Amino acid sequence: MLHILPQFDLQPYNTLAVPCVAAYCAEINSLEDLLAALHWNKTRQLPLLVLGGGSNIVLNGDFPGLVLHIRLRGMEVVAETDEHIWLQIAAGENWQRVVQYCLDFHYWGLENLSMIPGTAGAAPIQNIGAYGVELDTVFAELRAVEISSGVTVTFDRDACRFGYRDSIFKNRLRDRYIIVSITLRLYQQPCVNLSYPALRAALAGLSEPTPQQVSDAVCAIRSAKLPDPGAVPNAGSFFKNPLVDSATFRRLQADYPNIVGFETGAGQVKLAAGWLIEAAGWRGVEAEGVAVHGRQALVITNPGHRSGSTVLQLAAKIGAAVKQQFDIDLEREPRVYP
Ligand code: FAD
Ligand code: NAP
């Protein structure tokens, strides 16, 4: 039975620990709950916030609408061949629990995506990626409920229009669908991906690392470099790595020979936003209870549990400094609400 709670405190439900009260919050434990909540809002037409683990959002003031807290649970093998396993995962499953489950059952392919906070349902929204692997490499399809009609629709990999930290759900279909499950096509045989230099270096002593060793190495690198949101509130990388054309990269290289950039094909270079922020002098800077992380300048932390606007003000200053020094626009990664 659906409960809609008024004046709901969202501070424990966002990893930046920003204070925020939502006008209403509904815990979604089943498809029936979801349809009932959408029905409840049909006459009210309040703004909606679909909330997973709250690890990629900035709450900028109280939320004047209905939060749908996605708690759908369950994982099921839905098909199998000699080569692949198709695993269907409910949207509210914790992502790291999914990774661990796959490691335990020898369903391979998620090792490099170990220790990313949040839920399975949010993973396709920005096509989560880390250490040389993005979700779309193992993605089969997802099921989502259209908010306006309540109808459940299936999107295959092509329909999701995945890109670098991007999908159709951040663009043309933004705020139109609620993902209720995803299906991954995983491997029966290990197929480790060591394309990422930091990962290769960590495993250099092993001739044939196992997927479990890859996962362990990813977890070790992440723990050494990234702040644990449970201890130091943060939302991971605050900015996307900007893409520039090769000519722009060469111009920057002439002035900054150490600038970090990676060819992505089609004449484009991906710049390391963390390098730009550090070079602009912001690594480790702290002001008004918010800070730029000392070990990775791409991460903004909120040790003082300050407001979303304080976090965004620091981000704006960083963006302005990078723009002034390099003439590069930084794009924010977490989504801002309301
Ligand atoms: P939320 O923050 O709850 O939501 C994010 C967005 O998705 C919101 O717009 C929300 O409305 C929408 N959404 C959530 N669930 C659904 C749903 N079921 N249906 C429709 N829309 C939905 N990201 C990476 O890609 N790679 C990393 O390596 C990485 N590392 C991180 C490390 C740290 C320490 C932190 C704090 C974050 C990191 N992130 C990383 C960002 C974040 O963990 C991911 O983007 C994650 O997928 C967000 O999941 P969530 O459930 O917390 O989403
Ligand atoms: P890092 O190793 O310090 O590298 C800095 C940046 O360089 C990364 O953003 C990465 O881009 C890029 N990079 C490094 N080697 C590359 C290569 N060989 N080819 C292409 N690009 C390369 O990064 P980090 O901060 O410690 O993060 C490690 C990984 O975890 C990265 O993949 C990062 O995306 C992911 N991560 C993401 C978040 C988030 O919130 N989105 C938070 C923490 C970590 P990519 O980002 O495109 O990989």
Side-chain angles (χ1 to χ4, degrees):
M1 160 116 177
L2 179 72
H3 293 289
I4 296 186
L5 305 169
Q7 295 300 301
F8 191 83
D9 180 9
L10 285 180
Q11 193 167 24
Y13 295 94
N14 74 98
T15 63
L16 264 172
V18 157
C20 170
V21 174
Y24 299 97
C25 181
E27 199 172 280
I28 306 301
N29 292 298
S30 65
L31 192 55
E32 291 70 35
D33 284 351
L34 179 55
L35 296 177
L38 293 177
H39 181 74
W40 180 89
N41 199 38
K42 199 119 206 159
T43 47
R44 294 170 179 84
Q45 290 294 309
L46 297 172
L48 291 179
L49 162 54
V50 184
L51 180 68
S55 65
N56 212 14
I57 54 171
V58 181
L59 297 168
N60 186 20
D62 288 342
F63 186 72
L66 172 63
V67 174
L68 301 171
H69 189 199
I70 307 299
R71 307 282 308 253
L72 302 162
R73 294 284 195 272
M75 290 188 247
E76 187 189 355
V77 173
V78 289
E80 198 168 340
T81 63
D82 286 348
E83 209 181 335
H84 291 115
I85 287 269
W86 281 259
L87 183 67
Q88 189 177 69
I89 305 152
E93 285 287 353
N94 172 271
W95 179 256
Q96 179 55 20
R97 200 176 99 80
V98 175
V99 173
Q100 192 54 55
Y101 180 91
C102 291
L103 288 169
D104 290 347
F105 284 90
H106 295 190
Y107 307 154
W108 310 122
L110 298 185
E111 307 76 56
N112 299 48
L113 301 178
S114 296
M115 237 180 120
I116 299 179
T119 54
I125 300 286
Q126 73 155 3
N127 184 23
I128 55 167
Y131 299 95
V133 171
E134 290 181 341
L135 181 80
D136 67 346
T137 57
V138 290
F139 183 87
E141 62 178 36
L142 62 78
R143 289 189 314 128
V145 170
E146 189 182 28
I147 291 173
S148 61
S149 65
V151 170
T152 302
V153 183
T154 299
F155 290 81
D156 66 13
R157 186 170 174 272
D158 286 346
C160 291
R161 303 274 166 86
F162 289 122
Y164 168 62
R165 305 289 184 272
D166 200 26
S167 75
I168 197 165
F169 303 104
K170 286 181 91 173
N171 299 297
R172 195 161 66 73
L173 297 186
R174 182 172 165 152
D175 296 332
R176 296 260 306 271
Y177 287 89
I178 298 168
I179 296 168
V180 291
S181 71
I182 65 172
T183 302
L184 304 181
R185 193 188 71 158
L186 301 160
Y187 294 93
Q188 299 270 22
Q189 300 302 322
C191 49
V192 299
N193 179 329
L194 299 180
S195 60
Y196 203 86
L199 187 56
R200 217 167 36 241
L203 293 163
L206 301 167
S207 59
E208 260 187 72
T210 64
Q212 183 65 57
Q213 286 168 326
V214 172
S215 172
D216 292 346
V218 167
C219 292
I221 303 171
R222 293 185 77 104
S223 302
K225 195 164 178 186
L226 292 168
D228 169 8
V232 185
N234 74 88
S237 304
F238 210 86
F239 302 99
K240 289 166 70 167
N241 289 324
L243 292 171
V244 298
D245 58 41
S246 309
T248 304
F249 184 61
R250 279 196 300 277
R251 171 179 66 73
L252 288 164
Q253 245 181 344
D255 292 336
Y256 303 97
N258 297 330
I259 192 167
V260 178
F262 303 92
E263 298 279 352
T264 63
Q268 288 206 302
V269 177
K270 180 182 70 179
L271 300 177
W275 187 92
L276 299 173
I277 295 166
E278 190 173 337
W282 283 86
R283 180 155 76 98
V285 171
E286 184 163 358
E288 293 182 50
V290 292
V292 181
H293 189 52
R295 274 169 280 152
Q296 170 49 291
L298 204 45
V299 176
I300 294 180
T301 63
N302 186 19
H305 294 210
R306 296 306 165 92
S307 67
S309 72
T310 309
V311 173
L312 291 170
Q313 277 162 25
L314 177 65
K317 284 182 193 162
I318 294 168
V322 167
K323 176 74 178 168
Q324 190 186 12
Q325 187 164 340
F326 302 101
D327 196 23
I328 297 287
D329 292 302
L330 289 183
E331 189 186 336
R332 196 176 50 229
E333 187 180 287
R335 184 149 169 216
V336 177
Y337 292 91

